[in-house]
Amino acid sequence: MAEQLITAGEAAQVLGVTLDDIPANKCITKAEFELLAGIVQLTVVPNPSDATVKLNGTVATSIKVTKGTSVTIEVSKSGYQTHTETVTVNATMTKNITLSNVPSGAYVPSSAPVGVYILSTDGFAYKRSAWNTANNSKAVGVGVKTSKCSFVIAPVEQTSIQWGGYGTLINGCTTTTSESTAKTDYKGKQNTDAIIAQLGVYKAMAAGLDINNIVSNASILAESIPVVIPEHGGIISESEYDKLVEKQQSGETLTPEEQKQLSEYRDEQIRLEFKEKYNIVSDPILYLSVSEMRTQMKEMIIAQQEIMTLPEMEGGQPLPITTTDIDNMSDEGIMLLDTRASEQYAANYCRNYTFKNGAVGYQPALGELFEAYQNKSEVDACMSLIGGKALYDSSINNYWKWSSTQYDSLNAWILYWDDGFINYYNKNDSTNYDCARPFAAFLLITIIQRSKNGGFY
């Protein structure tokens, strides 16, 4: 607009605002017009002065916006740590931003080349040769950056832990029986989110069931109606089971018949555990009880779905499962919701782990584990240098690493860290070999550091 274009009264009428200090008949300047319109300006002064400033993605050192608008600031220069933050501009303001120098031998994670690094709470990634062990207290973990994905490996893990959700197919979790496909799954965080969401709902449902009452009613009902008992075939002995487990643990591939024998033996142990817990004296009572548990769980889902149709509930989060998911659960999976619902499982352990920089962990997908193994020697060397727990310690045989990639409702993919062998394994097993190692986003490091100074996550 021209320097003096309209009167303050005309401007106020156009803008729909109320005049305070400016006379209505006064011709106003551009600056006064912007003041009436609620337009404010953000100016960024970088240090070094020749650093590149981007405001909302556009190279500029100042921007005019409507009061209350959020503006993303990015200041960068080669050899310095990029600064990124979002500010809400409520008044004309100048912001001075001084960039931090990148230490010798370190990289900004976003611009680091492909390789293996030690990540520090200072926000930088260090090659092993540049790391000072005096700073081990600042070590976040071992970062891996490849052409396919990037992540940080925690210096700790949990052994003897189950995958969780035996007999349950997790929606939204990568599921494949193809090893080659599983090795290209890099969606560890997405898988973890899906596992925790669905198993959390099942756990809540199990807590809402009065199983003692269900069993009592089933005991009465079993006396008056015929019950069809599922056929389980011949269950192998404990010694035969141990031999098959030993064969599998050695890295040998089991035949389909041997896999079936393992599953049938484990299912039988789940049934025996459930029967013992509730003093169930016969299989008819057992399966009538499970059938009623399934029915009540489906009723819970239907009730929740009806609630979500109410106007006051619209826009809420629907359950991550449907009645079809309940139908597809195995009987043994239903039983486990009660007998094992409170146990720790791999995805939950990884999610509950917080890295030293504030990053939240997730259970890695098989593709991420595979990419880590391709850099095994350097990952192991870096982990040892920072005093992290070895990914393979022969004294405790912690070599099986659970991935979040699902094989089917009964099994999930694992990677043997000692030799890179890939196999699928029963979700319910929790021997000392079964380990959960948290991963986190590689590029989250610098963002987390800034958030502590009023930036963003």
Side-chain angles (χ1 to χ4, degrees):
M1 61 179 288
E3 186 64 19
Q4 290 185 334
L5 180 63
I6 57 178
T7 66
E10 292 170 327
Q13 186 175 8
V14 170
L15 296 171
V17 298
T18 301
L19 294 176
D20 290 323
D21 301 326
I22 306 176
N25 62 353
K26 179 184 181 298
C27 289
I28 62 174
T29 65
K30 182 179 180 180
E32 289 171 325
F33 180 85
E34 290 177 347
L35 181 63
L36 282 174
I39 296 174
V40 291
Q41 180 170 303
L42 168 66
T43 300
V44 174
V45 179
N47 181 21
S49 60
D50 59 345
T52 299
V53 178
K54 289 184 179 180
L55 302 176
N56 287 343
T58 300
V59 176
T61 56
S62 65
I63 186 173
K64 289 184 177 181
V65 295
T66 303
K67 184 186 298 184
T69 299
S70 293
V71 176
T72 298
I73 304 170
E74 180 183 299
V75 183
S76 62
K77 183 181 179 180
S78 178
Y80 292 81
Q81 184 178 11
T82 299
H83 178 97
T84 304
E85 66 173 300
T86 297
V87 298
T88 299
V89 187
N90 290 312
T92 294
M93 61 184 291
T94 297
K95 190 170 182 64
N96 297 295
I97 296 177
T98 299
L99 297 183
S100 300
N101 291 92
V102 177
S104 176
Y107 295 87
V108 175
S110 60
S111 58
V114 166
V116 178
Y117 302 88
I118 295 170
L119 277 83
S120 171
T121 54
D122 65 11
F124 298 108
Y126 295 80
K127 283 292 188 180
R128 178 162 55 98
S129 59
W131 180 253
N132 183 348
T133 55
N135 294 323
N136 276 359
S137 63
K138 299 179 180 179
V140 174
V142 176
V144 177
K145 192 172 185 181
T146 74
S147 61
K148 298 175 181 176
C149 59
S150 60
F151 45 81
V152 184
I153 306 172
V156 298
E157 68 181 17
Q158 177 64 52
T159 58
S160 303
I161 190 168
Q162 62 173 317
W163 195 90
Y166 178 81
T168 304
L169 198 67
I170 303 296
N171 300 323
C173 180
T174 301
T175 305
T176 178
T177 57
S178 165
E179 180 180 324
S180 59
T181 300
K183 285 162 62 175
T184 61
D185 177 23
Y186 310 113
K187 299 178 180 178
K189 183 181 181 304
Q190 179 178 317
N191 293 342
T192 302
D193 290 344
I195 294 167
I196 290 176
Q198 194 160 335
L199 294 188
V201 170
Y202 285 133
K203 180 178 179 179
M205 284 183 166
L209 297 174
D210 185 345
I211 299 180
N212 283 306
N213 184 60
I214 289 174
V215 171
S216 177
N217 291 336
S219 299
I220 297 171
L221 193 60
E223 297 177 356
S224 59
I225 66 169
V227 181
V228 177
I229 307 300
E231 295 184 8
H232 301 304
I235 306 299
I236 60 176
S237 66
E238 183 177 355
S239 61
E240 290 173 318
Y241 170 78
D242 290 340
K243 288 179 181 178
L244 287 180
V245 170
E246 184 178 349
K247 179 179 178 179
Q248 188 176 47
Q249 290 176 347
S250 69
E252 291 187 60
T253 301
L254 301 183
T255 66
E257 179 61 25
E258 289 172 330
Q259 288 281 4
K260 180 181 178 182
Q261 290 173 340
L262 277 181
S263 293
E264 288 178 343
Y265 179 88
R266 290 162 175 152
D267 285 351
E268 177 68 7
Q269 300 312 303
I270 294 170
R271 293 190 291 270
L272 291 173
E273 182 181 354
F274 190 82
K275 289 168 73 174
E276 181 179 359
K277 179 175 181 179
Y278 291 102
N279 297 314
I280 296 175
V281 298
S282 69
D283 283 344
I285 296 174
L286 173 67
Y287 287 101
L288 283 173
S289 299
V290 173
S291 177
E292 179 60 21
M293 289 171 67
R294 192 187 302 272
T295 296
Q296 290 191 22
M297 289 169 66
K298 290 167 66 175
E299 289 174 350
M300 291 180 190
I301 292 175
I302 292 171
Q304 179 66 16
Q305 290 172 337
E306 291 175 348
I307 291 174
M308 295 304 295
T309 63
L310 297 175
E312 61 270 23
M313 297 296 293
E314 289 180 2
Q317 293 297 318
L319 289 176
I321 57 174
T322 66
T323 54
T324 300
D325 295 312
I326 303 297
D327 286 330
N328 290 337
M329 289 181 69
S330 69
D331 289 336
E332 291 71 29
I334 295 284
M335 297 177 207
L336 279 176
L337 291 181
D338 173 71
T339 56
R340 305 281 182 84
S342 61
E343 286 189 9
Q344 177 76 285
Y345 56 92
N348 192 43
Y349 167 76
C350 292
R351 172 54 52 79
N352 287 334
Y353 180 79
T354 301
F355 288 74
K356 285 184 178 179
N357 65 335
V360 176
Y362 65 81
Q363 183 181 355
L366 185 65
E368 292 170 306
L369 281 172
F370 183 70
E371 289 296 302
Y373 184 80
Q374 302 312 298
N375 296 276
K376 180 183 187 304
S377 60
E378 188 60 20
V379 168
D380 286 344
C382 287
M383 194 63 71
S384 176
L385 188 64
I386 65 174
K389 186 174 183 178
L391 281 94
Y392 173 56
D393 181 344
S394 59
S395 67
I396 59 174
N397 288 326
N398 61 327
Y399 53 84
W400 291 3
K401 307 303 176 189
W402 280 122
S403 82
S404 59
T405 308
Q406 192 171 223
Y407 181 88
D408 58 18
S409 65
L410 306 178
N411 303 280
W413 289 98
I414 60 172
L415 181 141
Y416 290 40
W417 190 261
D418 58 334
D419 60 8
F421 180 70
I422 290 173
N423 203 352
Y424 58 91
Y425 204 60
N426 186 278
K427 292 178 178 180
N428 193 42
D429 278 4
S430 55
T431 66
N432 61 303
Y433 304 101
D434 303 306
C435 306
R437 175 78 67 146
F439 280 31
F442 183 82
L443 298 182
L444 188 64
I445 299 301
T446 54
I447 296 176
I448 290 292
Q449 288 299 109
R450 293 176 198 126
S451 71
K452 295 178 180 178
N453 296 314
F456 62 97
Y457 286 89

